[in-house]
Amino acid sequence: MDVLLPPRNEAPARVEPLAKLPVFWALEGRRVVVAGGSDAAMWKAELLAACGARVDVYAPTFGAAFEALLARAPDHPAARLIPHYRCWTPSDLPGAMLAIGDCADDAQEFFSAARAAGVPVNVIDKPEFCQFQFGSIVNRSPVVVAISTDGAAPILAQTIRRKIEALLPRSLKSWATLAQSLREAVNRRLQPGQQRRVFWERFSDRVFSTLDTSEEGVGGVLLADAERLAEAPAIGCVTLVGAGPGDAELLTLKAVRALQSADVILFDDLVSAEVLELARREAERLPVGQESCRRDINTLMIGLARAGKRVVRLKTGNPMAFGQAGEEVAHLVREDISVDVIPGVAAASRASAFSPHPSAQYHQISGREDRLPVAARFRRSCAAPSAWPAARRPRAGRPRE
């Protein structure tokens, strides 16, 4: 069984390729065109009205449910649903923000007319005539979660939506509304960067520590917390995180939280892109591979921490295995830098998990070097990935004591 390393990651992408760009469009008070009187067109018109749009709906006839929707005043104060009992024409499209059509026979004509008018267009159930798509929605407005499968599996998107619905409490709506009301006041009190992020992290912890809606007066308590943060000096820290053998699903929850709150991430060149994908998008990523001197890395970590940064030192495998991180920890402690260590899965441990034999048998092979796990022998030799030895299979029969 060969122990394989992930490819070197010298220039990781912050975002992996996307099928579509998720965009949230402000439609309050803006004109939108919907062509068609079907149930599918009705749902789109209702969704657009929920965003506060002025919806012009064109169809010779409307279904009973659609007529009931048109007769009812929208819940959003800025929304309007305006029926036009006729077919759409190209002259109806200029000036609209969006055009949505349920067109059985004239999809090409509707698409071309909208394009000519410079209006983004979506023809229902006809992906070839869509410049944008609608996803499944979890509505805790102002928190809105949209799920898309790029049209490949709408039922899967609905299943994902149900899972998220179960995770997000209804009280999230009131907390998000409170956050909107506090944002300007918080921005006046706290500097951009770490101070604001610490405040909103504490706010988020409070949101998910209770299933209740926000209490009256809690805004004042939160602003008092912001004032205390403004007066406190910026204190940085360093967290050594084990990235494991490259599989992001093997990261601990604590490791993921550290990545998502980091200001700067110093990572080994064998850390996989899928692990870095879990980090906060705004975090600065600095590769510190085999070519980097350990003394330089220690100096960099100390300088960043003293500047008030949250530093994550992301190391392949388990950072405490074989004393890999001991020197860095000792150096940080001597410099009075707060340091934490989050273990990871060692590469050799994961390799042994796929073996039909207990991992201990691999260590009971004669010879001083062969008594060490594969990862330790690799580290001692500083060999290139291609030079990693294959793990020896145990001899037949009972292993030696």
Side-chain angles (χ1 to χ4, degrees):
M1 178 184 66
D2 292 334
V3 179
L4 301 179
L5 287 176
R8 293 183 181 275
N9 191 9
E10 297 174 354
R14 288 178 181 265
V15 183
E16 293 184 354
L18 291 169
K20 293 289 185 294
L21 178 68
V23 174
F24 293 86
W25 217 312
L27 293 176
E28 185 170 333
R30 309 306 293 268
R31 178 173 174 265
V32 177
V33 169
V34 174
S38 64
D39 288 347
M42 177 191 70
W43 163 238
K44 294 297 189 290
E46 186 174 9
L47 182 63
L48 294 163
C51 297
R54 176 195 156 197
V55 187
D56 285 320
V57 189
Y58 297 87
T61 59
F62 297 93
F66 210 153
E67 287 284 5
L69 175 66
L70 294 170
R72 191 170 66 241
D75 292 336
H76 196 294
R80 298 289 184 273
L81 283 165
I82 306 168
H84 303 269
Y85 291 88
R86 61 175 177 82
C87 293
W88 70 275
T89 64
S91 62
D92 298 322
L93 296 169
M97 286 289 290
L98 300 173
I100 296 95
D102 189 9
C103 308
D105 302 322
D106 56 352
Q108 177 67 68
E109 290 80 0
F110 185 79
F111 178 78
S112 298
R115 290 285 303 276
V119 179
V121 58
N122 174 287
V123 179
I124 298 171
D125 290 336
K126 295 186 182 296
E128 66 273 23
F129 298 124
C130 293
Q131 291 181 296
F132 64 92
Q133 296 174 347
F134 291 87
S136 293
I137 292 174
V138 178
N139 186 8
R140 303 287 188 273
S141 185
V143 175
V144 180
V145 181
I147 305 106
S148 170
T149 62
D150 195 25
I155 299 301
L156 175 61
Q158 293 172 18
T159 303
I160 295 171
R161 179 185 62 80
R162 288 196 298 271
K163 297 285 186 182
I164 297 175
E165 285 275 10
L167 291 173
L168 299 183
R170 289 285 170 182
S171 60
L172 187 60
K173 178 181 176 68
S174 67
W175 283 102
T177 302
L178 175 63
Q180 278 186 325
S181 67
L182 294 177
R183 179 161 294 278
E184 288 189 10
V186 170
N187 289 349
R188 287 195 300 268
R189 289 167 170 79
L190 299 178
Q191 295 295 320
Q194 185 179 0
Q195 282 190 344
R196 292 183 188 177
R197 189 165 64 258
V198 169
F199 173 84
W200 290 114
E201 285 174 354
R202 292 180 182 178
F203 178 91
S204 301
D205 290 341
R206 184 189 290 260
V207 170
F208 285 97
S209 66
T210 177
L211 296 178
D212 298 329
T213 57
S214 55
E215 300 175 355
E216 185 176 355
V218 70
V221 174
L222 292 167
L223 289 179
D225 186 34
E227 291 174 354
R228 286 192 293 272
L229 278 173
E231 296 170 358
I235 301 175
C237 62
V238 176
T239 305
L240 277 67
V241 175
D247 187 344
E249 293 185 356
L250 293 177
L251 289 176
T252 65
L253 292 175
K254 190 173 182 180
V256 173
R257 285 196 294 269
L259 288 172
Q260 293 177 348
S261 63
D263 296 306
V264 183
I265 299 172
L266 310 179
F267 63 94
D268 291 347
D269 53 7
L270 294 178
V271 172
S272 69
E274 63 176 301
V275 169
L276 287 169
E277 175 75 11
L278 297 175
R280 194 170 68 92
R281 301 290 182 214
E282 297 82 1
E284 184 178 3
R285 293 160 167 79
L286 300 176
V288 287
Q290 290 182 343
E291 296 79 7
S292 303
C293 172
R294 181 169 294 178
R295 182 181 302 173
D296 293 339
I297 296 173
N298 290 341
T299 301
L300 180 59
M301 288 192 295
I302 291 168
L304 290 169
R306 285 178 173 165
K309 303 291 185 181
R310 295 184 184 183
V311 182
V312 165
R313 174 72 171 98
L314 194 58
K315 300 174 72 71
T316 310
N318 181 4
M320 296 309 292
F322 319 118
Q324 290 181 35
E327 183 179 330
E328 293 180 1
V329 171
H331 196 81
L332 291 166
V333 170
R334 284 196 300 270
E335 297 294 331
D336 201 25
I337 301 296
S338 175
V339 60
D340 190 15
V341 179
I342 302 175
V345 175
S349 298
R350 183 162 194 257
S352 66
F354 289 95
S355 167
H357 307 286
S359 61
Q361 292 180 340
Y362 290 98
H363 304 162
Q364 296 173 351
I365 303 171
S366 61
R368 182 175 300 275
E369 281 296 309
D370 288 341
R371 289 181 183 273
L372 293 174
V374 172
R377 282 185 272 130
F378 170 75
R379 183 171 175 269
R380 177 173 293 185
S381 66
C382 296
S386 60
W388 271 57
R392 298 186 185 181
R393 298 185 182 280
R395 298 174 182 175
R398 181 179 177 182
R400 292 186 298 187
E401 297 295 329

mmCIF file of all heavy atoms in Angstrom, residues 194-215:
data_model
loop_
_atom_site.group_PDB
_atom_site.id
_atom_site.type_symbol
_atom_site.label_atom_id
_atom_site.label_comp_id
_atom_site.label_asym_id
_atom_site.label_seq_id
_atom_site.Cartn_x
_atom_site.Cartn_y
_atom_site.Cartn_z
ATOM 1 N N GLN A 194 -10.616 43.719 12.867
ATOM 2 C CA GLN A 194 -10.790 42.773 13.962
ATOM 3 C C GLN A 194 -11.843 43.214 14.973
ATOM 4 O O GLN A 194 -12.644 42.401 15.439
ATOM 5 C CB GLN A 194 -9.471 42.535 14.685
ATOM 6 C CG GLN A 194 -9.573 41.461 15.763
ATOM 7 C CD GLN A 194 -8.260 41.215 16.459
ATOM 8 O OE1 GLN A 194 -7.261 41.842 16.154
ATOM 9 N NE2 GLN A 194 -8.245 40.298 17.407
ATOM 10 N N GLN A 195 -11.874 44.506 15.332
ATOM 11 C CA GLN A 195 -12.834 44.954 16.334
ATOM 12 C C GLN A 195 -14.263 44.649 15.906
ATOM 13 O O GLN A 195 -15.046 44.083 16.670
ATOM 14 C CB GLN A 195 -12.682 46.459 16.575
ATOM 15 C CG GLN A 195 -11.513 46.838 17.459
ATOM 16 C CD GLN A 195 -11.563 48.302 17.848
ATOM 17 O OE1 GLN A 195 -12.273 49.115 17.249
ATOM 18 N NE2 GLN A 195 -10.787 48.655 18.862
ATOM 19 N N ARG A 196 -14.600 45.019 14.680
ATOM 20 C CA ARG A 196 -15.966 44.766 14.207
ATOM 21 C C ARG A 196 -16.245 43.270 14.084
ATOM 22 O O ARG A 196 -17.345 42.807 14.402
ATOM 23 C CB ARG A 196 -16.202 45.467 12.862
ATOM 24 C CG ARG A 196 -16.226 46.978 12.962
ATOM 25 C CD ARG A 196 -16.542 47.616 11.618
ATOM 26 N NE ARG A 196 -16.382 49.063 11.665
ATOM 27 C CZ ARG A 196 -16.536 49.866 10.621
ATOM 28 N NH1 ARG A 196 -16.844 49.346 9.435
ATOM 29 N NH2 ARG A 196 -16.371 51.170 10.751
ATOM 30 N N ARG A 197 -15.252 42.525 13.613
ATOM 31 C CA ARG A 197 -15.486 41.095 13.433
ATOM 32 C C ARG A 197 -15.712 40.404 14.780
ATOM 33 O O ARG A 197 -16.574 39.540 14.909
ATOM 34 C CB ARG A 197 -14.316 40.455 12.690
ATOM 35 C CG ARG A 197 -14.610 39.021 12.282
ATOM 36 C CD ARG A 197 -13.627 38.499 11.261
ATOM 37 N NE ARG A 197 -12.272 38.430 11.771
ATOM 38 C CZ ARG A 197 -11.314 39.307 11.494
ATOM 39 N NH1 ARG A 197 -11.555 40.319 10.673
ATOM 40 N NH2 ARG A 197 -10.107 39.170 11.989
ATOM 41 N N VAL A 198 -14.932 40.790 15.801
ATOM 42 C CA VAL A 198 -15.127 40.213 17.132
ATOM 43 C C VAL A 198 -16.528 40.522 17.630
ATOM 44 O O VAL A 198 -17.207 39.651 18.202
ATOM 45 C CB VAL A 198 -14.066 40.734 18.121
ATOM 46 C CG1 VAL A 198 -14.423 40.365 19.555
ATOM 47 C CG2 VAL A 198 -12.699 40.178 17.766
ATOM 48 N N PHE A 199 -16.994 41.764 17.423
ATOM 49 C CA PHE A 199 -18.340 42.121 17.871
ATOM 50 C C PHE A 199 -19.386 41.253 17.191
ATOM 51 O O PHE A 199 -20.269 40.686 17.859
ATOM 52 C CB PHE A 199 -18.621 43.603 17.569
ATOM 53 C CG PHE A 199 -20.052 43.991 17.850
ATOM 54 C CD1 PHE A 199 -20.442 44.343 19.129
ATOM 55 C CD2 PHE A 199 -21.010 43.974 16.840
ATOM 56 C CE1 PHE A 199 -21.763 44.687 19.402
ATOM 57 C CE2 PHE A 199 -22.324 44.312 17.097
ATOM 58 C CZ PHE A 199 -22.709 44.666 18.381
ATOM 59 N N TRP A 200 -19.291 41.104 15.863
ATOM 60 C CA TRP A 200 -20.324 40.353 15.148
ATOM 61 C C TRP A 200 -20.210 38.858 15.388
ATOM 62 O O TRP A 200 -21.212 38.126 15.317
ATOM 63 C CB TRP A 200 -20.286 40.683 13.662
ATOM 64 C CG TRP A 200 -20.755 42.081 13.372
ATOM 65 C CD1 TRP A 200 -20.029 43.116 12.874
ATOM 66 C CD2 TRP A 200 -22.076 42.601 13.603
ATOM 67 N NE1 TRP A 200 -20.794 44.246 12.778
ATOM 68 C CE2 TRP A 200 -22.058 43.965 13.214
ATOM 69 C CE3 TRP A 200 -23.253 42.065 14.098
ATOM 70 C CZ2 TRP A 200 -23.195 44.776 13.299
ATOM 71 C CZ3 TRP A 200 -24.381 42.870 14.191
ATOM 72 C CH2 TRP A 200 -24.341 44.210 13.799
ATOM 73 N N GLU A 201 -19.016 38.372 15.715
ATOM 74 C CA GLU A 201 -18.889 36.963 16.103
ATOM 75 C C GLU A 201 -19.605 36.718 17.434
ATOM 76 O O GLU A 201 -20.296 35.711 17.603
ATOM 77 C CB GLU A 201 -17.415 36.568 16.210
ATOM 78 C CG GLU A 201 -16.741 36.378 14.850
ATOM 79 C CD GLU A 201 -15.251 36.139 14.973
ATOM 80 O OE1 GLU A 201 -14.727 36.244 16.103
ATOM 81 O OE2 GLU A 201 -14.612 35.850 13.947
ATOM 82 N N ARG A 202 -19.445 37.644 18.369
ATOM 83 C CA ARG A 202 -20.150 37.518 19.650
ATOM 84 C C ARG A 202 -21.659 37.628 19.441
ATOM 85 O O ARG A 202 -22.438 36.908 20.082
ATOM 86 C CB ARG A 202 -19.667 38.596 20.620
ATOM 87 C CG ARG A 202 -18.230 38.416 21.083
ATOM 88 C CD ARG A 202 -17.839 39.533 22.042
ATOM 89 N NE ARG A 202 -16.453 39.415 22.469
ATOM 90 C CZ ARG A 202 -15.851 40.276 23.271
ATOM 91 N NH1 ARG A 202 -16.519 41.340 23.739
ATOM 92 N NH2 ARG A 202 -14.581 40.104 23.624
ATOM 93 N N PHE A 203 -22.062 38.529 18.557
ATOM 94 C CA PHE A 203 -23.478 38.669 18.241
ATOM 95 C C PHE A 203 -24.022 37.355 17.690
ATOM 96 O O PHE A 203 -25.084 36.879 18.105
ATOM 97 C CB PHE A 203 -23.662 39.797 17.218
ATOM 98 C CG PHE A 203 -25.079 40.009 16.776
ATOM 99 C CD1 PHE A 203 -25.902 40.909 17.446
ATOM 100 C CD2 PHE A 203 -25.606 39.323 15.691
ATOM 101 C CE1 PHE A 203 -27.213 41.110 17.033
ATOM 102 C CE2 PHE A 203 -26.906 39.511 15.278
ATOM 103 C CZ PHE A 203 -27.717 40.415 15.950
ATOM 104 N N SER A 204 -23.288 36.749 16.759
ATOM 105 C CA SER A 204 -23.736 35.490 16.153
ATOM 106 C C SER A 204 -23.807 34.366 17.176
ATOM 107 O O SER A 204 -24.723 33.540 17.139
ATOM 108 C CB SER A 204 -22.801 35.105 15.001
ATOM 109 O OG SER A 204 -22.786 36.121 14.014
ATOM 110 N N ASP A 205 -22.832 34.320 18.090
ATOM 111 C CA ASP A 205 -22.876 33.307 19.147
ATOM 112 C C ASP A 205 -24.131 33.469 19.998
ATOM 113 O O ASP A 205 -24.757 32.477 20.402
ATOM 114 C CB ASP A 205 -21.625 33.405 20.026
ATOM 115 C CG ASP A 205 -20.368 32.954 19.301
ATOM 116 O OD1 ASP A 205 -20.487 32.248 18.284
ATOM 117 O OD2 ASP A 205 -19.260 33.330 19.750
ATOM 118 N N ARG A 206 -24.491 34.712 20.274
ATOM 119 C CA ARG A 206 -25.690 34.971 21.066
ATOM 120 C C ARG A 206 -26.947 34.509 20.315
ATOM 121 O O ARG A 206 -27.861 33.934 20.911
ATOM 122 C CB ARG A 206 -25.781 36.463 21.394
ATOM 123 C CG ARG A 206 -26.951 36.835 22.301
ATOM 124 C CD ARG A 206 -27.075 38.355 22.390
ATOM 125 N NE ARG A 206 -25.988 38.944 23.149
ATOM 126 C CZ ARG A 206 -26.084 39.314 24.427
ATOM 127 N NH1 ARG A 206 -27.223 39.139 25.080
ATOM 128 N NH2 ARG A 206 -25.060 39.862 25.041
ATOM 129 N N VAL A 207 -26.973 34.743 18.992
ATOM 130 C CA VAL A 207 -28.137 34.366 18.177
ATOM 131 C C VAL A 207 -28.387 32.864 18.257
ATOM 132 O O VAL A 207 -29.524 32.408 18.454
ATOM 133 C CB VAL A 207 -27.928 34.786 16.707
ATOM 134 C CG1 VAL A 207 -29.014 34.194 15.816
ATOM 135 C CG2 VAL A 207 -27.924 36.302 16.580
ATOM 136 N N PHE A 208 -27.320 32.075 18.114
ATOM 137 C CA PHE A 208 -27.497 30.627 18.035
ATOM 138 C C PHE A 208 -27.407 29.936 19.391
ATOM 139 O O PHE A 208 -27.493 28.714 19.464
ATOM 140 C CB PHE A 208 -26.474 30.033 17.068
ATOM 141 C CG PHE A 208 -26.833 30.301 15.632
ATOM 142 C CD1 PHE A 208 -26.264 31.364 14.955
ATOM 143 C CD2 PHE A 208 -27.763 29.515 14.976
ATOM 144 C CE1 PHE A 208 -26.604 31.633 13.642
ATOM 145 C CE2 PHE A 208 -28.110 29.767 13.669
ATOM 146 C CZ PHE A 208 -27.536 30.830 12.990
ATOM 147 N N SER A 209 -27.243 30.722 20.459
ATOM 148 C CA SER A 209 -27.270 30.138 21.801
ATOM 149 C C SER A 209 -28.674 30.131 22.374
ATOM 150 O O SER A 209 -28.905 29.611 23.462
ATOM 151 C CB SER A 209 -26.334 30.907 22.737
ATOM 152 O OG SER A 209 -26.802 32.237 22.941
ATOM 153 N N THR A 210 -29.630 30.722 21.664
ATOM 154 C CA THR A 210 -31.009 30.770 22.121
ATOM 155 C C THR A 210 -31.945 30.565 20.953
ATOM 156 O O THR A 210 -31.626 30.927 19.820
ATOM 157 C CB THR A 210 -31.328 32.124 22.798
ATOM 158 O OG1 THR A 210 -32.706 32.148 23.169
ATOM 159 C CG2 THR A 210 -31.046 33.283 21.845
ATOM 160 N N LEU A 211 -33.094 29.968 21.213
ATOM 161 C CA LEU A 211 -34.128 29.817 20.187
ATOM 162 C C LEU A 211 -35.149 30.945 20.263
ATOM 163 O O LEU A 211 -36.083 31.000 19.461
ATOM 164 C CB LEU A 211 -34.845 28.462 20.356
ATOM 165 C CG LEU A 211 -33.971 27.224 20.140
ATOM 166 C CD1 LEU A 211 -34.795 25.954 20.394
ATOM 167 C CD2 LEU A 211 -33.403 27.196 18.733
ATOM 168 N N ASP A 212 -34.958 31.852 21.246
ATOM 169 C CA ASP A 212 -35.912 32.939 21.447
ATOM 170 C C ASP A 212 -35.598 34.119 20.540
ATOM 171 O O ASP A 212 -34.478 34.289 20.068
ATOM 172 C CB ASP A 212 -35.878 33.410 22.908
ATOM 173 C CG ASP A 212 -36.278 32.300 23.867
ATOM 174 O OD1 ASP A 212 -37.097 31.453 23.471
ATOM 175 O OD2 ASP A 212 -35.762 32.284 25.004
ATOM 176 N N THR A 213 -36.614 34.941 20.295
ATOM 177 C CA THR A 213 -36.397 36.177 19.551
ATOM 178 C C THR A 213 -35.624 37.159 20.428
ATOM 179 O O THR A 213 -35.527 37.000 21.646
ATOM 180 C CB THR A 213 -37.746 36.800 19.149
ATOM 181 O OG1 THR A 213 -38.526 37.017 20.336
ATOM 182 C CG2 THR A 213 -38.504 35.872 18.208
ATOM 183 N N SER A 214 -35.048 38.165 19.787
ATOM 184 C CA SER A 214 -34.254 39.142 20.537
ATOM 185 C C SER A 214 -35.129 39.893 21.538
ATOM 186 O O SER A 214 -36.243 40.312 21.225
ATOM 187 C CB SER A 214 -33.604 40.133 19.565
ATOM 188 O OG SER A 214 -34.586 40.736 18.743
ATOM 189 N N GLU A 215 -34.625 40.040 22.750
ATOM 190 C CA GLU A 215 -35.387 40.693 23.814
ATOM 191 C C GLU A 215 -35.312 42.209 23.683
ATOM 192 O O GLU A 215 -34.365 42.758 23.118
ATOM 193 C CB GLU A 215 -34.835 40.270 25.180
ATOM 194 C CG GLU A 215 -34.903 38.767 25.427
ATOM 195 C CD GLU A 215 -34.240 38.388 26.720
ATOM 196 O OE1 GLU A 215 -33.654 39.288 27.368
ATOM 197 O OE2 GLU A 215 -34.291 37.206 27.088
#
